[in-house]
Amino acid sequence: MQGQMMHRPLQIIDMLRYAAQAFGQEGIVSARVEGDLHRQSYVQTLARTAKLAHALTRLGVARGDRVATLAWNGYRHLELYYGVAGMGAVCHTINPRLSHEQLLYIIHHAGDRLLFLDLTFVPLLEALLPDLPEGLRLVILTDRAHMPETRFEALCYEELLAGEPDDFPWPELPEDTASGLCYTSGTTGNPKGALYSHRSTVLHALQVPLCQTASFRAGRRVLPVVPLFHVNAWGLPYTAPLSGMTLVMPGPNLDGPSLFRLMEGEEVFSAWGVPTVWAGLLAEIEAQGRVPRGFADLVVGGSAAPRVMIEAYEAHGVNVSQAWGMTEMSPIGTHGTLPPRYDHASPEERIAAKCCAGRRAFGVEFKVVGDDGRPQPHDGEAVGELYVRGNSVISGYFKNEEATRAAFDDEGWFGTGDVVSVDAEGRLVIRDRAKDLVKSGGEWISSIDLENAALSHPGIAACAVVAMPHPKWDERPVLVAVAAGDARPTLAEIRDHMAEHFAQWQLPDDLIWVEDLPLTATGKVSKLTIRERMAGYVLPELRGDRGDSA
Ligand code: ADP
């Protein structure tokens, strides 16, 4: 027997329409590329989004067309999120930090018809110009007064919108209609596209507040440092309006002092981003001896939040939670809020609980697959590759059958490439990315665990552990570190410091000091680049010394 309930298609534009009706006084504060702070309500945002949809229609954009963006976090980028999807086209966000080769690959592969770019990216576009697809139209996200001289023909965003009606007959789209496209960062091979739908996006947006219950309350302010140009800024462009929160958009300035100033001025309650950004803010908090006014909640994801970072923010009274997910998962896959029993737990217990990636989110199923290909028990001990299934997980890569074949198992589960354990309560511990694990003598060592232990030494400001080849053990761990001050601890001192938590054979064989760690296009430490830079490296035992290049 069928239920007798209405079936309304889930539509992205409805989230903004809802915000405009229910939370009209909330909206978006943007630190603009033009240098000033700009404010607009959700009512104004909806009206401008309607103007944009009219302009796109006038430019010939049809349903299913890809409309690309190369832009920082700001209100115009958010208008593109809603306007493009709302009219039935696909908003293709491009990560400007990718290499020229990858950018060109993505633009051609996606078949973009239009590209909207921030002023910052004019030189980048000029560099790409000779190889851009013919017929790609370009729009600069600024007003007439700020339009630059360019070597390409470009339209002006504000001129496009001016004069258009501020109401649009939003079509009722089937909920499986494609709405957004985001390519993975492609650490190996070409980037791969995740093509989101209205349904997957709305379901994900509804799920995010349940995953981070401490962060959401109407009238509060949330700062996505996680970019709109990658992984949908973890769903915040949708979830913030839906839950009545004002978005504070940082634009291009993501260093500690700039973030501190913006957060203080706007009384940001909750801030979201990758650990490298929060290391910068922490340095500023420590320099000032206080947190920005009103700041109480930090969501860290994209890579494991180092234990010392969690401890430091918590010591300043900021509640820290982790988010785990992937581009292919829209992206959030876990629930990071601790149950109330931890409110009165010892600080160690609280911190330990926060060092895991959180509990499985509703709608995302987990399967841990061992080396033998068999599902492992969720007992907190058994380790294997995590496979996932759910309504906001991709069912294939955009126009890429080969990558699709490689990513899914016979039962249709998506392989994350993360090596994990899951406990009986559904808590996920990311042991490592499969390609970052150190495999030594038939056993494996988690680079994340080693990094956490090394980072708790006061002489180390940042570090990464990479596996280096060894003829007998296969691989051995090497610690690459940035010193916290002038006095550099020796390898022996670091090993002693770490020995409490590890067996001797698990400790790093060498210590290499560097000025800073290379980052990926998404702001994470790039172990791939470190490994590339260490091509030809020989372990101390093999070169006949005791290690410690200090
Ligand atoms: P890319 O790193 O290429 O930008 P994603 O943003 O999709 O791609 O990254 C997804 C990966 O990031 C996950 O598979 C996982 O390895 C890692 N990751 C994300 N969040 C966490 C977390 N909280 N702890 C540990 N690893 C994480």
Side-chain angles (χ1 to χ4, degrees):
M1 190 189 286
Q2 287 257 320
Q4 267 189 308
M5 302 303 286
M6 293 185 190
H7 185 277
R8 304 285 308 137
L10 300 172
Q11 311 257 326
I12 287 176
I13 193 67
D14 284 341
M15 294 188 274
L16 184 58
R17 285 160 124 178
Y18 172 73
Q21 280 171 7
F23 305 112
Q25 71 287 13
E26 302 299 329
I28 312 165
V29 181
S30 310
R32 292 205 288 194
V33 177
E34 290 92 334
D36 55 353
L37 267 187
H38 172 272
R39 295 167 199 281
Q40 76 184 24
S41 68
Y42 286 132
V43 176
Q44 291 166 313
T45 307
L46 180 63
R48 283 173 53 86
T49 300
K51 285 170 176 284
L52 171 63
H54 281 290
L56 291 171
T57 310
R58 186 160 45 84
L59 291 172
V61 173
R63 294 203 187 167
D65 281 350
R66 271 77 69 203
V67 175
T69 65
L70 261 177
W72 299 107
N73 289 5
Y75 64 107
R76 293 180 179 125
H77 203 173
L78 191 109
E79 289 160 10
L80 283 155
Y81 261 61
Y82 282 97
V84 173
M87 66 180 294
V90 178
C91 180
H92 171 206
T93 54
I94 305 181
N95 182 344
R97 296 193 185 120
L98 294 175
S99 68
H100 289 192
E101 195 190 337
Q102 288 175 323
L103 289 170
L104 286 168
Y105 169 83
I106 287 177
I107 293 169
H108 282 273
H109 187 264
D112 294 325
R113 290 203 50 192
L114 270 161
L115 194 158
F116 288 74
L117 64 145
D118 264 339
L119 284 166
T120 324
F121 302 119
V122 167
L124 174 62
L125 211 82
E126 289 185 337
L128 301 178
L129 210 50
D131 300 308
L132 287 178
E134 245 175 72
L136 177 72
R137 298 190 76 174
L138 304 165
V139 184
I140 301 184
L141 291 162
T142 193
D143 54 21
R144 177 45 57 191
H146 291 89
M147 275 299 274
E149 288 277 322
T150 51
R151 293 196 357 247
F152 51 85
E153 235 181 81
L155 299 164
C156 163
Y157 184 80
E158 292 300 334
E159 271 183 2
L160 265 188
L161 266 56
E164 294 291 352
D166 57 11
D167 200 8
F168 186 79
W170 300 109
E172 195 167 296
L173 304 162
E175 62 181 13
D176 285 323
T177 304
S179 59
L181 178 61
C182 175
Y183 282 73
T184 62
S185 306
T187 37
T188 48
N190 278 325
K192 295 168 284 188
L195 184 64
Y196 311 109
S197 68
H198 283 260
R199 174 183 156 82
S200 71
T201 305
V202 174
L203 289 176
H204 181 266
L206 290 167
Q207 183 60 34
V208 175
L210 294 175
C211 291
Q212 298 293 345
T213 47
S215 309
F216 291 93
R217 185 160 169 203
R220 280 190 177 147
R221 300 180 147 215
V222 59
L223 172 89
V225 175
V226 49
L228 268 74
F229 62 64
H230 188 60
V231 292
N232 306 316
W234 299 350
L236 284 175
Y238 308 113
T239 301
L242 199 58
S243 54
M245 286 179 82
T246 280
L247 281 161
V248 179
M249 302 286 214
N253 301 319
L254 307 177
D255 57 288
S258 303
L259 287 177
F260 192 107
R261 256 193 316 278
L262 180 65
M263 292 169 75
E264 168 104 342
E266 296 305 317
E267 295 199 30
V268 165
F269 173 80
S270 179
W272 296 42
V274 295
T276 38
V277 167
W278 304 131
L281 179 67
L282 188 59
E284 182 64 16
I285 287 174
E286 277 165 4
Q288 299 216 19
R290 65 186 184 93
V291 298
R293 197 175 44 237
F295 177 40
D297 184 69
L298 181 68
V299 178
V300 190
S303 49
R307 188 187 177 99
V308 282
M309 178 179 284
I310 301 178
E311 282 167 351
Y313 274 102
E314 294 262 329
H316 282 287
V318 176
N319 171 52
V320 180
S321 43
Q322 290 214 41
W324 168 85
M326 298 184 80
T327 308
E328 292 89 337
M329 298 175 66
S330 299
I332 291 196
T334 54
H335 178 303
T337 312
L338 291 188
R341 68 172 188 269
Y342 284 98
D343 292 352
H344 308 291
S346 69
E348 285 89 282
E349 251 182 290
R350 252 175 89 78
I351 302 290
K354 292 187 173 204
C355 281
C356 83
R359 255 166 244 268
R360 178 172 81 82
F362 173 75
V364 181
E365 291 173 79
F366 285 175
K367 179 165 78 169
V368 181
V369 180
D371 282 345
D372 57 2
R374 309 249 290 260
Q376 302 293 302
H378 292 187
D379 58 4
E381 298 287 327
V383 170
E385 186 186 343
L386 180 65
Y387 280 73
V388 291
R389 191 165 75 171
N391 284 316
S392 48
V393 179
I394 57 162
S395 59
Y397 286 106
F398 180 57
K399 292 191 181 161
N400 192 337
E401 278 172 29
E402 194 188 331
T404 300
R405 264 196 305 279
F408 294 83
D409 73 6
D410 294 344
E411 295 173 320
W413 293 69
F414 172 75
T416 63
D418 283 341
V419 177
V420 310
S421 59
V422 178
D423 74 9
E425 289 182 61
R427 268 189 306 233
L428 177 71
V429 176
I430 309 287
R431 303 292 171 134
D432 226 327
R433 271 191 144 172
K435 56 184 181 293
D436 294 338
L437 272 179
V438 185
K439 291 161 203 99
S440 177
E443 302 281 338
W444 58 262
I445 314 167
S446 154
S447 65
I448 296 180
D449 289 351
L450 287 176
E451 286 155 11
N452 262 328
L455 271 177
S456 68
H457 190 288
I460 294 186
C463 71
V465 167
V466 287
M468 286 293 123
H470 188 285
K472 180 170 173 199
W473 305 116
D474 282 339
E475 291 175 346
R476 293 293 305 150
V478 169
L479 179 65
V480 179
V482 178
D486 292 337
R488 291 177 166 184
T490 63
L491 173 63
E493 281 164 356
I494 300 287
R495 284 174 56 103
D496 282 350
H497 177 78
M498 296 167 74
E500 191 190 330
H501 307 289
F502 295 92
Q504 281 294 318
W505 67 270
Q506 294 175 314
L507 295 172
D509 279 8
D510 200 0
L511 166 61
I512 296 173
W513 293 106
V514 289
E515 286 305 310
D516 42 22
L517 297 172
L519 300 183
T520 67
T522 47
K524 308 179 192 184
V525 172
S526 173
K527 294 195 185 173
L528 183 76
T529 313
I530 297 176
R531 284 192 287 259
E532 279 168 4
R533 286 185 187 166
M534 288 175 73
Y537 167 88
V538 180
L539 283 160
E541 183 197 324
L542 308 172
R543 56 179 197 246
D545 63 43
R546 57 174 182 80
D548 200 358
S549 3

